[in-house]
Amino acid sequence: QSVVSLVQPTTKHLDVDLDWQSPAEDAIVSGNAEDLEQLLINLVLNAVEAASRLPACDAGTPPSATGARSPTKSPNRPRVEIRIRRDGDRVLLDVEDSGRGPPVELQSTLFDAFSSDKPEGTGLGLSVARQIAVDHQGDLRWDRYDETTRFTLDLPGMNEER
């Protein structure tokens, strides 16, 4: 929730819809709060910037071969969705955006330091984010589906009982 509050001014400035839903069940992880917050800020801001690169009329999920649109996504608005879910003893955080996705030439080096297609980008954000995930016995991966780019942070979950 604190990361969502921190990035909301940027989403408003870039005219990107931000959809955040709290998890239905507890999703507790153990780790360095500042590092994990940095990781989440990097992921969400990257998604907001990617979504904002499309003109509003081009953003969103285009019609499928049958002409149907995904009912959960606005067809005309740049959008970022954040979801947290449990998968057994793992906590998964998905950050999805309606942007075009990473260019083909960067896809294999996306998590490498200095890999970026942003004019002012340093290419360190995703590299640092993945290292933080690994330092917390987790993983950070990405995929592209349905005209959506999704980054998934996978961390070991904790039970509330200690």
Side-chain angles (χ1 to χ4, degrees), residues 99-112 115-117 126 130 140-145 147-151:
R100 292 196 169 124
V104 172
E105 62 272 11
L106 285 182
Q107 291 180 2
S108 65
T109 61
L110 205 54
F111 294 104
D112 293 351
S115 179
S116 178
D117 69 331
L126 288 175
R130 178 174 261 175
L140 180 61
R141 58 188 175 270
W142 78 279
D143 63 341
R144 180 97 177 136
Y145 73 99
E147 301 300 318
T148 300
T149 303
R150 174 179 50 202
F151 283 82

Side-chain angles (χ1 to χ4, degrees), residues 73-151:
K73 295 183 175 69
S74 169
N76 298 319
R77 301 271 309 147
R79 177 178 196 84
V80 172
E81 297 180 16
I82 304 169
R83 302 279 178 275
I84 298 176
R85 56 194 164 90
R86 297 260 345 196
D87 184 11
D89 64 347
R90 307 296 292 180
V91 172
L92 304 175
L93 177 123
D94 297 318
V95 178
E96 299 180 358
D97 70 73
S98 62
R100 292 196 169 124
V104 172
E105 62 272 11
L106 285 182
Q107 291 180 2
S108 65
T109 61
L110 205 54
F111 294 104
D112 293 351
F114 310 113
S115 179
S116 178
D117 69 331
K118 297 178 190 176
E120 287 112 29
T122 62
L124 292 175
L126 288 175
S127 174
V128 168
R130 178 174 261 175
Q131 187 57 55
I132 292 169
V134 168
D135 290 347
H136 287 80
Q137 290 75 51
D139 188 30
L140 180 61
R141 58 188 175 270
W142 78 279
D143 63 341
R144 180 97 177 136
Y145 73 99
D146 238 4
E147 301 300 318
T148 300
T149 303
R150 174 179 50 202
F151 283 82

Side-chain angles (χ1 to χ4, degrees), residues 13-26:
H13 176 73
L14 294 177
D15 199 26
V16 173
D17 290 340
L18 180 62
D19 182 16
W20 151 253
Q21 291 181 6
S22 297
E25 57 184 307
D26 288 334

